[in-house]
PDB file of all heavy atoms in Angstrom:
ATOM      1  N   TYR A  16     -48.569 241.807 -49.244  1.00 97.00           N
ATOM      2  CA  TYR A  16     -48.672 240.680 -50.163  1.00 97.00           C
ATOM      3  C   TYR A  16     -49.429 239.480 -49.625  1.00 97.00           C
ATOM      4  O   TYR A  16     -49.900 238.651 -50.391  1.00 97.00           O
ATOM      5  CB  TYR A  16     -47.292 240.302 -50.701  1.00 97.00           C
ATOM      6  CG  TYR A  16     -46.823 241.362 -51.670  1.00 97.00           C
ATOM      7  CD1 TYR A  16     -45.950 242.360 -51.274  1.00 97.00           C
ATOM      8  CD2 TYR A  16     -47.346 241.410 -52.950  1.00 97.00           C
ATOM      9  CE1 TYR A  16     -45.571 243.374 -52.136  1.00 97.00           C
ATOM     10  CE2 TYR A  16     -46.975 242.411 -53.830  1.00 97.00           C
ATOM     11  CZ  TYR A  16     -46.092 243.391 -53.426  1.00 97.00           C
ATOM     12  OH  TYR A  16     -45.742 244.387 -54.284  1.00 97.00           O
ATOM     13  N   GLU A  17     -49.595 239.387 -48.305  1.00 96.00           N
ATOM     14  CA  GLU A  17     -50.399 238.266 -47.805  1.00 96.00           C
ATOM     15  C   GLU A  17     -51.848 238.415 -48.282  1.00 96.00           C
ATOM     16  O   GLU A  17     -52.565 237.438 -48.443  1.00 96.00           O
ATOM     17  CB  GLU A  17     -50.359 238.192 -46.273  1.00 96.00           C
ATOM     18  CG  GLU A  17     -51.177 239.258 -45.618  1.00 96.00           C
ATOM     19  CD  GLU A  17     -51.323 239.090 -44.120  1.00 96.00           C
ATOM     20  OE1 GLU A  17     -51.061 237.998 -43.609  1.00 96.00           O
ATOM     21  OE2 GLU A  17     -51.690 240.079 -43.478  1.00 96.00           O
ATOM     22  N   LYS A  18     -52.257 239.638 -48.530  1.00 96.00           N
ATOM     23  CA  LYS A  18     -53.644 239.886 -48.960  1.00 96.00           C
ATOM     24  C   LYS A  18     -53.922 239.273 -50.329  1.00 96.00           C
ATOM     25  O   LYS A  18     -55.064 239.092 -50.718  1.00 96.00           O
ATOM     26  CB  LYS A  18     -53.912 241.393 -49.004  1.00 96.00           C
ATOM     27  CG  LYS A  18     -53.804 242.057 -47.647  1.00 96.00           C
ATOM     28  CD  LYS A  18     -54.588 243.359 -47.605  1.00 96.00           C
ATOM     29  CE  LYS A  18     -54.535 244.007 -46.243  1.00 96.00           C
ATOM     30  NZ  LYS A  18     -53.285 244.764 -46.009  1.00 96.00           N
ATOM     31  N   MET A  19     -52.871 239.006 -51.076  1.00 95.00           N
ATOM     32  CA  MET A  19     -53.074 238.447 -52.415  1.00 95.00           C
ATOM     33  C   MET A  19     -53.230 236.937 -52.387  1.00 95.00           C
ATOM     34  O   MET A  19     -53.346 236.302 -53.426  1.00 95.00           O
ATOM     35  CB  MET A  19     -51.892 238.828 -53.287  1.00 95.00           C
ATOM     36  CG  MET A  19     -51.699 240.314 -53.266  1.00 95.00           C
ATOM     37  SD  MET A  19     -50.520 240.788 -54.480  1.00 95.00           S
ATOM     38  CE  MET A  19     -51.384 242.107 -55.239  1.00 95.00           C
ATOM     39  N   ILE A  20     -53.181 236.354 -51.185  1.00 96.00           N
ATOM     40  CA  ILE A  20     -53.332 234.894 -51.085  1.00 96.00           C
ATOM     41  C   ILE A  20     -54.742 234.585 -50.588  1.00 96.00           C
ATOM     42  O   ILE A  20     -55.057 234.851 -49.431  1.00 96.00           O
ATOM     43  CB  ILE A  20     -52.292 234.298 -50.118  1.00 96.00           C
ATOM     44  CG1 ILE A  20     -50.886 234.747 -50.511  1.00 96.00           C
ATOM     45  CG2 ILE A  20     -52.406 232.778 -50.090  1.00 96.00           C
ATOM     46  CD1 ILE A  20     -49.796 234.350 -49.533  1.00 96.00           C
ATOM     47  N   PRO A  21     -55.612 234.048 -51.445  1.00 95.00           N
ATOM     48  CA  PRO A  21     -56.964 233.729 -50.984  1.00 95.00           C
ATOM     49  C   PRO A  21     -56.930 232.639 -49.917  1.00 95.00           C
ATOM     50  O   PRO A  21     -56.136 231.697 -50.031  1.00 95.00           O
ATOM     51  CB  PRO A  21     -57.662 233.210 -52.252  1.00 95.00           C
ATOM     52  CG  PRO A  21     -56.741 233.479 -53.385  1.00 95.00           C
ATOM     53  CD  PRO A  21     -55.372 233.704 -52.842  1.00 95.00           C
ATOM     54  N   GLU A  22     -57.760 232.775 -48.898  1.00 93.00           N
ATOM     55  CA  GLU A  22     -57.848 231.780 -47.808  1.00 93.00           C
ATOM     56  C   GLU A  22     -57.995 230.360 -48.341  1.00 93.00           C
ATOM     57  O   GLU A  22     -57.427 229.416 -47.803  1.00 93.00           O
ATOM     58  CB  GLU A  22     -59.050 232.099 -46.898  1.00 93.00           C
ATOM     59  CG  GLU A  22     -58.747 233.075 -45.792  1.00 93.00           C
ATOM     60  CD  GLU A  22     -57.622 232.630 -44.874  1.00 93.00           C
ATOM     61  OE1 GLU A  22     -57.721 231.522 -44.323  1.00 93.00           O
ATOM     62  OE2 GLU A  22     -56.644 233.387 -44.728  1.00 93.00           O
ATOM     63  N   GLU A  23     -58.797 230.193 -49.397  1.00 91.00           N
ATOM     64  CA  GLU A  23     -59.073 228.836 -49.924  1.00 91.00           C
ATOM     65  C   GLU A  23     -57.820 228.197 -50.503  1.00 91.00           C
ATOM     66  O   GLU A  23     -57.804 227.001 -50.768  1.00 91.00           O
ATOM     67  CB  GLU A  23     -60.137 228.837 -51.044  1.00 91.00           C
ATOM     68  CG  GLU A  23     -61.345 229.691 -50.819  1.00 91.00           C
ATOM     69  CD  GLU A  23     -61.074 231.172 -51.097  1.00 91.00           C
ATOM     70  OE1 GLU A  23     -60.872 231.544 -52.253  1.00 91.00           O
ATOM     71  OE2 GLU A  23     -61.045 231.920 -50.098  1.00 91.00           O
ATOM     72  N   GLU A  24     -56.790 228.987 -50.761  1.00 92.00           N
ATOM     73  CA  GLU A  24     -55.571 228.397 -51.327  1.00 92.00           C
ATOM     74  C   GLU A  24     -54.563 228.039 -50.252  1.00 92.00           C
ATOM     75  O   GLU A  24     -53.413 227.699 -50.535  1.00 92.00           O
ATOM     76  CB  GLU A  24     -54.946 229.359 -52.333  1.00 92.00           C
ATOM     77  CG  GLU A  24     -55.782 229.454 -53.578  1.00 92.00           C
ATOM     78  CD  GLU A  24     -55.172 230.358 -54.631  1.00 92.00           C
ATOM     79  OE1 GLU A  24     -53.994 230.730 -54.505  1.00 92.00           O
ATOM     80  OE2 GLU A  24     -55.896 230.690 -55.574  1.00 92.00           O
ATOM     81  N   ARG A  25     -55.006 228.127 -49.008  1.00 95.00           N
ATOM     82  CA  ARG A  25     -54.133 227.767 -47.892  1.00 95.00           C
ATOM     83  C   ARG A  25     -54.703 226.545 -47.196  1.00 95.00           C
ATOM     84  O   ARG A  25     -55.893 226.263 -47.309  1.00 95.00           O
ATOM     85  CB  ARG A  25     -54.138 228.886 -46.852  1.00 95.00           C
ATOM     86  CG  ARG A  25     -53.373 230.095 -47.223  1.00 95.00           C
ATOM     87  CD  ARG A  25     -53.367 231.014 -46.032  1.00 95.00           C
ATOM     88  NE  ARG A  25     -52.627 232.227 -46.276  1.00 95.00           N
ATOM     89  CZ  ARG A  25     -51.309 232.341 -46.200  1.00 95.00           C
ATOM     90  NH1 ARG A  25     -50.561 231.297 -45.892  1.00 95.00           N
ATOM     91  NH2 ARG A  25     -50.708 233.480 -46.425  1.00 95.00           N
ATOM     92  N   PRO A  26     -53.855 225.853 -46.393  1.00 96.00           N
ATOM     93  CA  PRO A  26     -54.418 224.814 -45.537  1.00 96.00           C
ATOM     94  C   PRO A  26     -55.435 225.424 -44.590  1.00 96.00           C
ATOM     95  O   PRO A  26     -55.339 226.611 -44.254  1.00 96.00           O
ATOM     96  CB  PRO A  26     -53.209 224.289 -44.764  1.00 96.00           C
ATOM     97  CG  PRO A  26     -52.056 225.142 -45.110  1.00 96.00           C
ATOM     98  CD  PRO A  26     -52.413 226.017 -46.249  1.00 96.00           C
ATOM     99  N   LYS A  27     -56.418 224.603 -44.163  1.00 96.00           N
ATOM    100  CA  LYS A  27     -57.466 225.163 -43.309  1.00 96.00           C
ATOM    101  C   LYS A  27     -57.003 225.341 -41.873  1.00 96.00           C
ATOM    102  O   LYS A  27     -57.323 226.316 -41.232  1.00 96.00           O
ATOM    103  CB  LYS A  27     -58.677 224.240 -43.320  1.00 96.00           C
ATOM    104  CG  LYS A  27     -59.855 224.837 -44.031  1.00 96.00           C
ATOM    105  CD  LYS A  27     -61.089 223.990 -43.795  1.00 96.00           C
ATOM    106  CE  LYS A  27     -62.251 224.493 -44.610  1.00 96.00           C
ATOM    107  NZ  LYS A  27     -63.423 223.655 -44.454  1.00 96.00           N
ATOM    108  N   PHE A  28     -56.268 224.351 -41.349  1.00 96.00           N
ATOM    109  CA  PHE A  28     -55.927 224.451 -39.929  1.00 96.00           C
ATOM    110  C   PHE A  28     -54.459 224.143 -39.632  1.00 96.00           C
ATOM    111  O   PHE A  28     -54.086 223.900 -38.495  1.00 96.00           O
ATOM    112  CB  PHE A  28     -56.855 223.557 -39.084  1.00 96.00           C
ATOM    113  CG  PHE A  28     -56.894 222.120 -39.543  1.00 96.00           C
ATOM    114  CD1 PHE A  28     -56.059 221.194 -38.971  1.00 96.00           C
ATOM    115  CD2 PHE A  28     -57.770 221.725 -40.544  1.00 96.00           C
ATOM    116  CE1 PHE A  28     -56.084 219.873 -39.393  1.00 96.00           C
ATOM    117  CE2 PHE A  28     -57.800 220.400 -40.966  1.00 96.00           C
ATOM    118  CZ  PHE A  28     -56.961 219.480 -40.390  1.00 96.00           C
ATOM    119  N   HIS A  29     -53.638 224.131 -40.668  1.00 97.00           N
ATOM    120  CA  HIS A  29     -52.189 224.044 -40.464  1.00 97.00           C
ATOM    121  C   HIS A  29     -51.610 225.417 -40.764  1.00 97.00           C
ATOM    122  O   HIS A  29     -52.043 226.081 -41.706  1.00 97.00           O
ATOM    123  CB  HIS A  29     -51.549 223.040 -41.427  1.00 97.00           C
ATOM    124  CG  HIS A  29     -51.815 221.611 -41.099  1.00 97.00           C
ATOM    125  ND1 HIS A  29     -53.015 221.009 -41.351  1.00 97.00           N
ATOM    126  CD2 HIS A  29     -51.027 220.658 -40.532  1.00 97.00           C
ATOM    127  CE1 HIS A  29     -52.960 219.742 -40.960  1.00 97.00           C
ATOM    128  NE2 HIS A  29     -51.758 219.503 -40.456  1.00 97.00           N
ATOM    129  N   LEU A  30     -50.616 225.819 -39.984  1.00 98.00           N
ATOM    130  CA  LEU A  30     -49.998 227.121 -40.230  1.00 98.00           C
ATOM    131  C   LEU A  30     -49.148 227.037 -41.500  1.00 98.00           C
ATOM    132  O   LEU A  30     -48.340 226.121 -41.658  1.00 98.00           O
ATOM    133  CB  LEU A  30     -49.129 227.519 -39.022  1.00 98.00           C
ATOM    134  CG  LEU A  30     -48.521 228.916 -39.102  1.00 98.00           C
ATOM    135  CD1 LEU A  30     -49.602 229.987 -39.012  1.00 98.00           C
ATOM    136  CD2 LEU A  30     -47.489 229.133 -37.996  1.00 98.00           C
ATOM    137  N   SER A  31     -49.336 227.998 -42.393  1.00 97.00           N
ATOM    138  CA  SER A  31     -48.538 228.045 -43.623  1.00 97.00           C
ATOM    139  C   SER A  31     -47.798 229.387 -43.670  1.00 97.00           C
ATOM    140  O   SER A  31     -48.135 230.314 -42.941  1.00 97.00           O
ATOM    141  CB  SER A  31     -49.436 227.891 -44.847  1.00 97.00           C
ATOM    142  OG  SER A  31     -50.473 228.853 -44.822  1.00 97.00           O
ATOM    143  N   ALA A  32     -46.800 229.472 -44.572  1.00 97.00           N
ATOM    144  CA  ALA A  32     -46.002 230.702 -44.666  1.00 97.00           C
ATOM    145  C   ALA A  32     -46.932 231.894 -44.877  1.00 97.00           C
ATOM    146  O   ALA A  32     -47.804 231.859 -45.733  1.00 97.00           O
ATOM    147  CB  ALA A  32     -45.041 230.598 -45.840  1.00 97.00           C
ATOM    148  N   ARG A  33     -46.739 232.914 -44.102  1.00 97.00           N
ATOM    149  CA  ARG A  33     -47.589 234.106 -44.231  1.00 97.00           C
ATOM    150  C   ARG A  33     -47.553 234.608 -45.682  1.00 97.00           C
ATOM    151  O   ARG A  33     -48.571 234.884 -46.292  1.00 97.00           O
ATOM    152  CB  ARG A  33     -47.089 235.180 -43.270  1.00 97.00           C
ATOM    153  CG  ARG A  33     -47.871 236.444 -43.366  1.00 97.00           C
ATOM    154  CD  ARG A  33     -47.580 237.367 -42.209  1.00 97.00           C
ATOM    155  NE  ARG A  33     -48.433 238.539 -42.310  1.00 97.00           N
ATOM    156  CZ  ARG A  33     -48.493 239.480 -41.392  1.00 97.00           C
ATOM    157  NH1 ARG A  33     -47.748 239.375 -40.310  1.00 97.00           N
ATOM    158  NH2 ARG A  33     -49.280 240.512 -41.536  1.00 97.00           N
ATOM    159  N   VAL A  34     -46.341 234.711 -46.197  1.00 97.00           N
ATOM    160  CA  VAL A  34     -46.121 234.971 -47.619  1.00 97.00           C
ATOM    161  C   VAL A  34     -44.700 234.484 -47.894  1.00 97.00           C
ATOM    162  O   VAL A  34     -43.856 234.516 -47.002  1.00 97.00           O
ATOM    163  CB  VAL A  34     -46.304 236.479 -47.961  1.00 97.00           C
ATOM    164  CG1 VAL A  34     -45.410 237.363 -47.121  1.00 97.00           C
ATOM    165  CG2 VAL A  34     -46.073 236.753 -49.436  1.00 97.00           C
ATOM    166  N   GLY A  35     -44.443 233.969 -49.094  1.00 97.00           N
ATOM    167  CA  GLY A  35     -43.096 233.506 -49.398  1.00 97.00           C
ATOM    168  C   GLY A  35     -42.800 232.144 -48.809  1.00 97.00           C
ATOM    169  O   GLY A  35     -43.622 231.250 -48.848  1.00 97.00           O
ATOM    170  N   TRP A  36     -41.636 232.032 -48.222  1.00 97.00           N
ATOM    171  CA  TRP A  36     -41.080 230.731 -47.821  1.00 97.00           C
ATOM    172  C   TRP A  36     -41.070 230.537 -46.306  1.00 97.00           C
ATOM    173  O   TRP A  36     -40.720 231.452 -45.555  1.00 97.00           O
ATOM    174  CB  TRP A  36     -39.643 230.661 -48.335  1.00 97.00           C
ATOM    175  CG  TRP A  36     -38.801 229.593 -47.729  1.00 97.00           C
ATOM    176  CD1 TRP A  36     -38.053 229.700 -46.584  1.00 97.00           C
ATOM    177  CD2 TRP A  36     -38.606 228.264 -48.213  1.00 97.00           C
ATOM    178  NE1 TRP A  36     -37.402 228.506 -46.345  1.00 97.00           N
ATOM    179  CE2 TRP A  36     -37.719 227.606 -47.320  1.00 97.00           C
ATOM    180  CE3 TRP A  36     -39.089 227.562 -49.331  1.00 97.00           C
ATOM    181  CZ2 TRP A  36     -37.306 226.290 -47.515  1.00 97.00           C
ATOM    182  CZ3 TRP A  36     -38.668 226.247 -49.517  1.00 97.00           C
ATOM    183  CH2 TRP A  36     -37.795 225.626 -48.616  1.00 97.00           C
ATOM    184  N   MET A  37     -41.392 229.313 -45.873  1.00 98.00           N
ATOM    185  CA  MET A  37     -41.292 228.927 -44.459  1.00 98.00           C
ATOM    186  C   MET A  37     -40.441 227.675 -44.336  1.00 98.00           C
ATOM    187  O   MET A  37     -40.605 226.731 -45.108  1.00 98.00           O
ATOM    188  CB  MET A  37     -42.695 228.621 -43.936  1.00 98.00           C
ATOM    189  CG  MET A  37     -42.752 227.741 -42.695  1.00 98.00           C
ATOM    190  SD  MET A  37     -44.400 227.007 -42.438  1.00 98.00           S
ATOM    191  CE  MET A  37     -45.265 228.318 -41.643  1.00 98.00           C
ATOM    192  N   ASN A  38     -39.512 227.637 -43.350  1.00 98.00           N
ATOM    193  CA  ASN A  38     -38.988 226.336 -42.916  1.00 98.00           C
ATOM    194  C   ASN A  38     -39.069 226.239 -41.398  1.00 98.00           C
ATOM    195  O   ASN A  38     -40.094 226.646 -40.836  1.00 98.00           O
ATOM    196  CB  ASN A  38     -37.654 225.940 -43.566  1.00 98.00           C
ATOM    197  CG  ASN A  38     -36.459 226.821 -43.333  1.00 98.00           C
ATOM    198  OD1 ASN A  38     -36.371 227.903 -43.860  1.00 98.00           O
ATOM    199  ND2 ASN A  38     -35.492 226.339 -42.565  1.00 98.00           N
ATOM    200  N   ASP A  39     -38.108 225.658 -40.740  1.00 98.00           N
ATOM    201  CA  ASP A  39     -38.205 225.220 -39.334  1.00 98.00           C
ATOM    202  C   ASP A  39     -39.078 226.062 -38.381  1.00 98.00           C
ATOM    203  O   ASP A  39     -38.970 227.290 -38.369  1.00 98.00           O
ATOM    204  CB  ASP A  39     -36.831 225.232 -38.667  1.00 98.00           C
ATOM    205  CG  ASP A  39     -35.731 224.708 -39.531  1.00 98.00           C
ATOM    206  OD1 ASP A  39     -36.020 224.157 -40.598  1.00 98.00           O
ATOM    207  OD2 ASP A  39     -34.570 224.852 -39.133  1.00 98.00           O
ATOM    208  N   PRO A  40     -39.814 225.379 -37.498  1.00 98.00           N
ATOM    209  CA  PRO A  40     -40.430 226.086 -36.374  1.00 98.00           C
ATOM    210  C   PRO A  40     -39.335 226.587 -35.433  1.00 98.00           C
ATOM    211  O   PRO A  40     -38.332 225.906 -35.210  1.00 98.00           O
ATOM    212  CB  PRO A  40     -41.270 225.012 -35.678  1.00 98.00           C
ATOM    213  CG  PRO A  40     -40.693 223.707 -36.103  1.00 98.00           C
ATOM    214  CD  PRO A  40     -40.087 223.931 -37.456  1.00 98.00           C
ATOM    215  N   ASN A  41     -39.507 227.764 -34.900  1.00 98.00           N
ATOM    216  CA  ASN A  41     -38.547 228.372 -33.951  1.00 98.00           C
ATOM    217  C   ASN A  41     -39.313 228.924 -32.756  1.00 98.00           C
ATOM    218  O   ASN A  41     -40.478 229.308 -32.885  1.00 98.00           O
ATOM    219  CB  ASN A  41     -37.814 229.556 -34.612  1.00 98.00           C
ATOM    220  CG  ASN A  41     -36.921 229.164 -35.791  1.00 98.00           C
ATOM    221  OD1 ASN A  41     -36.626 229.981 -36.646  1.00 98.00           O
ATOM    222  ND2 ASN A  41     -36.495 227.921 -35.854  1.00 98.00           N
ATOM    223  N   GLY A  42     -38.641 228.999 -31.620  1.00 98.00           N
ATOM    224  CA  GLY A  42     -39.215 229.705 -30.475  1.00 98.00           C
ATOM    225  C   GLY A  42     -40.602 229.249 -30.070  1.00 98.00           C
ATOM    226  O   GLY A  42     -41.429 230.066 -29.641  1.00 98.00           O
ATOM    227  N   PHE A  43     -40.869 227.951 -30.176  1.00 98.00           N
ATOM    228  CA  PHE A  43     -42.188 227.399 -29.820  1.00 98.00           C
ATOM    229  C   PHE A  43     -42.286 227.455 -28.294  1.00 98.00           C
ATOM    230  O   PHE A  43     -41.506 226.806 -27.592  1.00 98.00           O
ATOM    231  CB  PHE A  43     -42.240 225.957 -30.337  1.00 98.00           C
ATOM    232  CG  PHE A  43     -43.587 225.299 -30.234  1.00 98.00           C
ATOM    233  CD1 PHE A  43     -44.763 226.034 -30.315  1.00 98.00           C
ATOM    234  CD2 PHE A  43     -43.673 223.918 -30.087  1.00 98.00           C
ATOM    235  CE1 PHE A  43     -46.001 225.412 -30.248  1.00 98.00           C
ATOM    236  CE2 PHE A  43     -44.899 223.284 -30.020  1.00 98.00           C
ATOM    237  CZ  PHE A  43     -46.067 224.033 -30.095  1.00 98.00           C
ATOM    238  N   SER A  44     -43.224 228.259 -27.772  1.00 98.00           N
ATOM    239  CA  SER A  44     -43.216 228.511 -26.332  1.00 98.00           C
ATOM    240  C   SER A  44     -44.542 229.122 -25.873  1.00 98.00           C
ATOM    241  O   SER A  44     -45.403 229.456 -26.688  1.00 98.00           O
ATOM    242  CB  SER A  44     -42.080 229.480 -25.989  1.00 98.00           C
ATOM    243  OG  SER A  44     -42.226 230.672 -26.738  1.00 98.00           O
TER     244      SER A  44
END
Side-chain angles (χ1 to χ4, degrees):
Y16 288 98
E17 74 171 343
K18 297 203 178 81
M19 306 190 132
I20 307 173
E22 273 302 305
E23 317 79 69
E24 289 182 13
R25 286 186 179 279
K27 249 190 186 177
F28 54 94
H29 287 76
L30 185 68
S31 54
R33 178 167 184 174
V34 56
W36 164 272
M37 159 198 278
N38 61 288
D39 318 350
N41 295 157
F43 188 30
S44 57

